[in-house]
């Protein structure tokens, strides 16, 4: 049986991360204080420091939460049933939809590279998104949907294009319009490399 102390500890940590996601999304990293996070989570600052060594550690937990929500949805789509081509298009649409989420925009796209540093952020992105892109490309090649290409390099190029797309969406005054344009362009490009 799980102890009440462990349940309380996990619920405290979860409340802190949820509070951090809300505040970092609304105010950004620089304008959010640990006092505000603790107050919003209804815990003491001491409880915050019990779970996190500081503001950056808390930010990384918030980033992980936001990123894992997106990754979970994409993983479900990409690993689901249906033809690889249809799964790839559905994954693309879900990714663009995720880029419209204010928490993903602010935390994962705008702030994470700065707060975490480029290398740590890139490693985190590689663990999540890049693997899905590579496996989707392998599925498309194996199904005969696209010609054989160097998988690692092609996946890196696609990853870079999707990262640029995410940045464009998140930086636009009209993210929905830009997201729709990006989806249209990428789908057109994909159709050009598809075997007919």
């Amino acid at each position: 049986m799980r102890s009440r102390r462990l349940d309380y500890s996990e619920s405290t940590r979860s409340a802190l991360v949820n509070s951090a996601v809300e505040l970092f999304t609304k105010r950004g990293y620089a304008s959010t204080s640990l006092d505000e996070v603790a107050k919003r989570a209804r815990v003491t600052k001491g409880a915050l420091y019990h779970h996190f060594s500081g503001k950056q550690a808390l930010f990384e937990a918030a980033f992980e939460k936001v990123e894992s929500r997106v990754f979970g949805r994409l993983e479900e789509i990409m690993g689901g049933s249906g033809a690889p081509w249809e799964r790839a298009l559905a994954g693309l649409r879900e990714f663009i939809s995720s880029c419209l989420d204010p928490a993903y925009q602010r935390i994962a796209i705008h702030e994470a590279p700065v707060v975490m540093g480029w290398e740590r952020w890139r490693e985190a992105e590689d663990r999540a998104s890049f693997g899905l892109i590579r496996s989707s490309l392998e599925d498309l090649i194996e199904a005969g949907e696209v010609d054989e290409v160097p998988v690692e390099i092609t996946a890196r190029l696609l990853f870079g294009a999707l990262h640029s797309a995410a940045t464009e969406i998140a930086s636009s005054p009209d993210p929905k319009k830009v997201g729709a344009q990006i989806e249209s362009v990428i789908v057109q490009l994909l159709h050009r490399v598809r075997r007919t």
Side-chain angles (χ1 to χ4, degrees):
M1 277 184 62
R2 291 167 52 92
S3 73
R4 289 165 83 190
R5 174 181 263 170
L6 182 60
D7 285 343
Y8 177 74
S9 179
E10 286 180 7
S11 70
T12 299
R13 187 181 195 287
S14 180
L16 285 163
V17 173
N18 290 338
S19 174
V21 168
E22 287 178 38
L23 289 169
F24 290 144
T25 299
K26 197 182 292 183
R27 297 185 186 156
Y29 179 79
S31 298
T32 299
S33 73
L34 292 179
D35 287 326
E36 291 173 299
V37 173
K39 184 177 179 183
R40 185 180 209 94
R42 296 181 181 187
V43 301
T44 65
K45 199 167 175 185
L48 187 151
Y49 279 112
H50 174 74
H51 291 279
F52 301 102
S53 60
K55 192 173 174 182
Q56 182 163 343
L58 181 59
F59 178 87
E60 290 186 20
F63 167 80
E64 181 64 34
K65 181 172 180 91
V66 169
E67 190 75 22
S68 66
R69 280 195 307 233
V70 172
F71 178 75
R73 291 192 305 262
L74 289 173
E75 190 175 43
E76 189 175 313
I77 290 167
M78 305 305 277
S81 60
W85 184 259
E86 296 309 317
R87 290 194 324 258
L89 292 179
L92 170 65
R93 289 184 185 103
E94 179 58 38
F95 176 73
I96 289 171
S97 174
S98 297
C99 292
L100 299 174
D101 172 32
Y104 189 74
Q105 287 180 2
R106 184 80 179 248
I107 294 171
I109 299 170
H110 287 305
E111 301 225 329
V114 176
V115 176
M116 296 168 65
W118 175 258
E119 288 299 319
R120 280 179 60 91
W121 172 78
R122 174 83 185 244
E123 287 170 13
E125 289 289 303
D126 273 5
R127 284 192 304 275
S129 310
F130 180 71
L132 285 176
I133 292 169
R134 185 176 54 226
S135 65
S136 179
L137 180 60
E138 288 169 344
D139 288 348
L140 289 168
I141 292 168
E142 190 176 305
E145 295 280 4
V146 297
D147 288 326
E148 283 209 30
V149 291
V151 172
E152 194 72 18
I153 290 172
T154 306
R156 281 269 165 231
L157 291 172
L158 290 171
F159 179 73
L162 290 174
H163 173 67
S164 291
T167 303
E168 287 299 314
I169 293 167
S171 301
S172 171
D174 191 350
K176 286 185 180 179
K177 179 181 177 184
V178 171
Q181 290 172 337
I182 286 171
E183 180 181 331
S184 174
V185 168
I186 293 175
V187 168
Q188 287 178 49
L189 291 173
L190 289 174
H191 277 290
R192 289 185 184 188
V193 298
R194 188 180 187 192
R195 281 182 175 173
T196 53

